[in-house]
Amino acid sequence: MKLTILGCSGSIPGPASPAAGYLVEADGYRLVIDLGNGTLAALQAVCDPFEVDALAFSHLHPDHCADFTALTVLRRYRPAPPYDPTQRRLPVHGPSDAPSRFAAAYAPNEVERAETDLSDVFQFHPLTEHAVQLGPLKVTAARVAHPCEAYGFRVEHDGRALAYTGDTGPCPALDELAQGVDLLLAEATWTDSPRRPADLHLSGRQAGELAERAEVGRLLLTHIAPWTDPEVVRAEAVAAFSGQVLVASPAAVYEV
C-alpha cells in the first residue's frame, strides 16, 4: 500500500497544510479517507479525482469533510467526455447522517429541490463496525471517542496494515484497530495536559502510548493544530514509543 498525505493540519487548515485528508493506494485502487478544507486541490495535484474509487469519512466535522461540496460540483459539472458522472457514482462510506448533512452543506436553502439529492453522483453507505472489502483493501471501522458519530479505520492489503485513529480521545477501540499494524496514522492535536477535555483528541504522549501498547511498526503523527509546536508533540510521542516516530507533512508519501 501507499499512503499520500493530502493534508494534515488539525482542526483548521494551517498556513502550510490543508486540513485532514489521506489517499491510500493498492493495486491501482484509490481510497480517499477524509476530505477536509483544501484537500481537493491537493488531490488534483496527485491524480484526477475521477480516478478515485471510494471515499471514507471518519466523521463530519468540517476539517475532515469540507471539500466534499467542491467535489460534488466537479463530479456534476465537469464536461464530458472523458467522464459521464451519471455513469460512475462514487461510493461514499461515512456516518449515518452523511447524505443529509452533505446535501445541506451543498445547498442549505434548497432542501426541497433536486439539487440537494446527491445520489446522481454518489452512492452513500453508512459505516458499521464490520470489515468491508473495498477493491483489494479490507477496511474495518470502529466507533471512537469524539463528540459526534466518529470512526477510526484499519486498512489491510497483502499482509500489510495501517490504522488511522480519526479524531478521538483514548478508547479501547483504538487498541484493537492499531494492534500490530505496520503504520499507525494517529492524530495528536495538542500537547499533553491533565486540563485537556476528555473524549476529544489525543496528545503526543497518548499517541505514543497507543503505539507502544499496540506494538505497531511506525507511528505517523497528524492533525497537529497550527498553534501547537509539532516538535514538542513528537518529543512526547518519542518518550512513550520505542519505535520510529514521524510527523506527517503535506504531499509526503509513505510505503506500508
Side-chain angles (χ1 to χ4, degrees):
M1 288 184 291
K2 182 172 73 172
L3 170 67
T4 301
I5 307 298
L6 303 176
C8 52
S9 182
S11 299
I12 63 170
S17 175
Y22 312 95
L23 172 64
V24 180
E25 299 175 85
D27 295 345
Y29 187 91
R30 293 184 171 96
L31 168 66
V32 170
I33 300 177
D34 288 342
L35 199 66
N37 320 65
T39 53
L40 182 59
L43 177 64
Q44 291 175 81
V46 176
C47 69
D48 185 333
F50 273 84
E51 295 175 352
V52 171
D53 295 287
L55 289 178
F57 288 96
S58 63
H59 66 295
L60 301 182
H61 283 158
D63 60 318
H64 291 257
C65 71
D67 274 16
F68 186 84
T69 53
L71 180 65
T72 302
V73 173
L74 183 148
R75 293 191 68 86
R76 273 187 165 168
Y77 299 116
R78 195 174 82 175
Y83 301 109
D84 179 357
T86 64
Q87 300 301 313
R88 189 178 178 191
R89 297 162 65 214
L90 181 65
V92 178
H93 302 263
S96 56
D97 58 347
S100 60
R101 289 278 300 278
F102 284 141
Y106 181 71
N109 297 321
E110 302 177 5
V111 295
E112 301 301 326
R113 296 183 58 182
E115 285 84 348
T116 63
D117 179 4
L118 308 184
S119 62
D120 59 326
V121 287
F122 299 111
Q123 294 176 324
F124 289 101
H125 304 275
L127 288 171
T128 61
E129 296 187 273
H130 301 285
V132 296
Q133 195 70 33
L134 302 182
L137 303 174
K138 178 184 177 183
V139 180
T140 304
R143 285 289 296 266
V144 293
H146 204 53
C148 61
E149 183 183 349
Y151 296 84
F153 298 109
R154 182 185 179 104
V155 184
E156 299 172 89
H157 171 68
D158 196 24
R160 310 294 285 179
L162 70 87
Y164 170 49
T165 63
D167 282 10
T168 178
C171 62
L174 292 179
D175 293 75
E176 296 181 18
L177 286 174
Q179 186 60 50
V181 298
D182 300 283
L183 180 67
L184 171 60
L185 179 63
E187 74 114 307
T189 301
W190 49 38
T191 54
D192 199 63
S193 170
R195 295 187 297 274
R196 302 298 188 195
D199 297 335
L200 189 59
H201 291 297
L202 298 176
S203 67
R205 179 183 66 83
Q206 290 167 332
E209 290 173 344
L210 168 63
E212 187 71 15
R213 288 193 307 272
E215 301 179 310
V216 309
R218 290 179 293 164
L219 172 60
L220 179 59
L221 301 174
T222 190
H223 201 272
I224 299 173
W227 49 83
T228 300
D229 186 341
E231 287 307 312
V232 175
V233 173
R234 182 181 179 277
E236 289 185 359
V238 166
F241 176 52
S242 56
Q244 184 181 23
V245 179
L246 305 167
V247 176
S249 59
V253 177
Y254 304 89
E255 295 294 332
V256 181

